[in-house]
Amino acid sequence: MSLFKKSVVLIVLLLVLDQVVKIWIKTHMMLGEEYSVFGDWFLIHFIENNGMAFGMELEGQWGKILLSLFRIFAVCGIGWYLYDISTKKAPLGLVISIALIFSGAMGNIIDSAFYGLIFNDSYYQVSTFMPEAGGYASFLHGKVVDMLYFPLLEGRFPEWLPMWGGEHYIFFRPVFNIADSYITIGVTFILLFQRKYFMKEHK
């Protein structure tokens, strides 16, 4: 099996895992509901967002459309790059890293593009798959499902600290999903091993 075909298999497996978890969350939990996995420092906490990784977003409907279109163009570019380096026998680590980033971006695009069409909303109810009354939003206006929450540390900043003195803090505050994890891992690998990856690719 060629390196590119192996990367496609990896992407399919990663996307299946991401979507199975999101669909389970969407069809078994209401917004804001949470379960403890390991004490108070690892929670499954269901939220939805309109935007980028780790809950960041662009405001308004036009922001949502622009972000969705940007994602689609970005995924096309990443997919072409993945094909290019796979056929040129780039380092395996680089191919896996790009496949992770592609899978993460694609996983969140699926939410944004289709979840509004195939689910009703999750406010005060558990969402239904393919409801008779239709979905909660149009194409490209769906929301991304997030659920992984790691509030490892919580407390207040010392009063003497400039700007944030006395304010409450939680680390790590963002709620994210498996697709976000793929992107983070892929980018981290590239940053850590860029000399190894790109020197071999150049040769």
Side-chain angles (χ1 to χ4, degrees):
M1 185 183 292
S2 69
L3 186 56
F4 177 69
K5 288 181 179 179
K6 290 179 181 178
S7 68
V8 171
V9 171
L10 175 61
I11 288 168
V12 170
L13 293 175
L14 292 172
L15 283 174
V16 168
L17 175 61
D18 173 64
Q19 290 301 307
V20 165
V21 172
K22 287 176 177 174
I23 291 171
W24 189 93
I25 294 292
K26 187 71 177 166
T27 57
H28 288 79
M29 298 177 67
M30 295 184 291
L31 273 176
E33 193 173 359
E34 68 180 24
Y35 298 111
S36 171
V37 180
F38 292 112
D40 294 328
W41 60 269
F42 178 18
L43 306 174
I44 299 298
H45 180 81
F46 175 28
I47 67 168
E48 293 178 315
N49 74 79
N50 290 316
M52 298 173 280
F54 301 104
M56 296 180 289
E57 61 181 76
L58 297 177
E59 296 294 336
Q61 292 299 312
W62 280 107
K64 174 68 175 175
I65 293 173
L66 289 173
L67 180 58
S68 296
L69 292 175
F70 171 77
R71 280 177 172 161
I72 292 170
F73 282 118
V75 163
C76 290
I78 295 168
W80 177 87
Y81 182 64
L82 178 62
Y83 173 78
D84 185 57
I85 62 174
S86 298
T87 55
K88 292 178 179 177
K89 297 182 179 179
L92 179 61
L94 178 60
V95 173
I96 292 174
S97 298
I98 300 300
L100 281 164
I101 295 170
F102 180 91
S103 301
M106 193 68 199
N108 287 334
I109 285 175
I110 291 172
D111 295 27
S112 180
F114 300 111
Y115 275 28
L117 298 172
I118 63 176
F119 294 110
N120 53 5
D121 66 64
S122 299
Y123 292 99
Y124 309 108
Q125 65 178 0
V126 174
S127 182
T128 302
F129 178 70
M130 298 300 290
E132 292 184 6
Y136 66 83
S138 57
F139 180 63
L140 292 180
H141 285 84
K143 295 181 179 180
V144 176
V145 174
D146 291 327
M147 78 297 291
L148 303 176
Y149 184 33
F150 294 88
L152 301 177
L153 296 172
E154 184 173 1
R156 291 191 177 277
F157 290 112
E159 294 291 344
W160 50 264
L161 190 70
M163 295 179 62
W164 298 291
E167 290 189 11
H168 178 260
Y169 70 85
I170 296 177
F171 179 84
F172 179 72
R173 185 181 292 273
V175 182
F176 57 100
N177 58 44
I178 295 175
D180 297 332
S181 302
Y182 297 159
I183 296 171
T184 302
I185 294 169
V187 171
T188 301
F189 280 2
I190 290 173
L191 292 176
L192 290 176
F193 303 109
Q194 58 179 314
R195 289 177 63 90
K196 178 180 177 181
Y197 290 167
F198 294 107
M199 284 179 65
K200 289 186 177 180
E201 186 187 13
H202 180 69
K203 291 179 181 178

